[in-house]
Amino acid sequence: MMIEKHISALLYRYQCVSIPEFGAFVTEISSARYNEVSGTFSPPKKNILFNALLRNNDGLLTNHIALEEGISFEAAAIQVRNTVNAWNASLRNKECVALSHIGQLRMNEEQKIIFEPIGSTNYLTSSFGLSSVIAPVVVRDDKTEALVIPINRKGTKRKALLKYAAIFVVGLGLATAYTTYQQQMVAEQQMMAVEKQVQNQVQEKLQQATFFIETPAVIVKETAAPAKGFHIIAGAFRTEAKAQIMVQQLLDKGYVNAKYLNPSKHGMRQVVYNSYETIEEAKQDLKLIHTKVNKDAWIYIDE
């Protein structure tokens, strides 16, 4: 399966798209630019970088493939793993891995992955439909400036006036176009700042649901039952029907506490193997699930 089309689709919406056990494509927003040589204004865009150190599995790519292809989370994880193995084999053989609309990957002499992006695709949604604008520099003609309008020849005087009027109209049109473009660029930069802030907040939430630095304290009233706020996630679905199907599959496999949580603020219903009162219990069962059932399972903590 060609997973690059799913990576490409996610790059429009997210700042970082991680490929488990391989690396991650990270986007960086650059502002509008003016090329003095070609005389063109280019709109803001997303530049794509590759970081081989970001190898964690945040479930974003796998879940997207499962939803788009209509397959289970486990089947999507297997397809991603097979694709990564094929990429690694090609890179070890000094072959180039071409990813459509994204770029090319190759291995250098130091056994490091080098990424060359394709500059034709702009993944910045706020720049959709914008293309480069040609605004050549107006060169003054010394002969035109030194032109003296003879006052005793009506025909020559009229032609000269028309010539000056044409130069004035062209200059006014260029100035108006440049002002309009500047206003559009300012509005787009403001939109990009808001989008970047939202993306950072989403990324923080993903990291909180994937990694653990310290055990959060759970405060419970003496009269209340212990809260089970730690869940081992088997998959996440946007539709309730798919979540129910996976819950039934887990119940059939013997996971009697299988269920799906309430929809997150992103509209995803997360299916859990089991829920726990402490992080230690969840981590202990997660090791068994990774070994025997699903190496892509992860722990989610209720906020």
Side-chain angles (χ1 to χ4, degrees), residues 60-116:
L60 178 65
L61 176 60
T62 307
N63 184 66
H64 178 80
I65 293 175
L67 293 176
E68 292 295 322
E69 301 292 338
I71 58 179
S72 66
F73 187 88
E74 290 81 1
I78 293 173
Q79 292 185 1
V80 172
R81 193 178 307 120
N82 292 338
T83 301
V84 169
N85 292 337
W87 288 354
N88 287 327
S90 297
L91 293 174
R92 286 193 296 268
N93 293 331
K94 303 299 181 181
E95 298 176 359
C96 180
V97 177
L99 306 180
S100 179
H101 302 295
I102 299 175
Q104 294 182 344
L105 298 167
R106 60 182 177 83
M107 190 83 74
N108 64 7
E109 296 179 355
E110 299 178 355
Q111 301 301 308
K112 293 183 179 180
I113 299 177
I114 304 299
F115 174 65
E116 298 178 2

Side-chain angles (χ1 to χ4, degrees), residues 148-163:
V148 178
I149 303 174
I151 62 176
N152 59 346
R153 298 179 64 183
K154 295 183 179 180
T156 305
K157 180 179 179 180
R158 183 178 181 182
K159 291 181 180 179
L161 288 174
L162 290 175
K163 185 176 182 179

Side-chain angles (χ1 to χ4, degrees), residues 18 20-21 55-60 62 73 210 295-298:
S18 176
E21 303 301 324
R55 302 162 59 90
N56 62 289
N57 181 14
D58 55 12
L60 178 65
T62 307
F73 187 88
T210 307
K295 66 176 295 186
D296 295 315
W298 52 286

Side-chain angles (χ1 to χ4, degrees), residues 34-36 38-39 135-140 174:
Y34 176 70
N35 189 324
E36 296 182 356
S38 60
V137 178
V138 178
V139 180
R140 293 182 178 272
L174 289 175

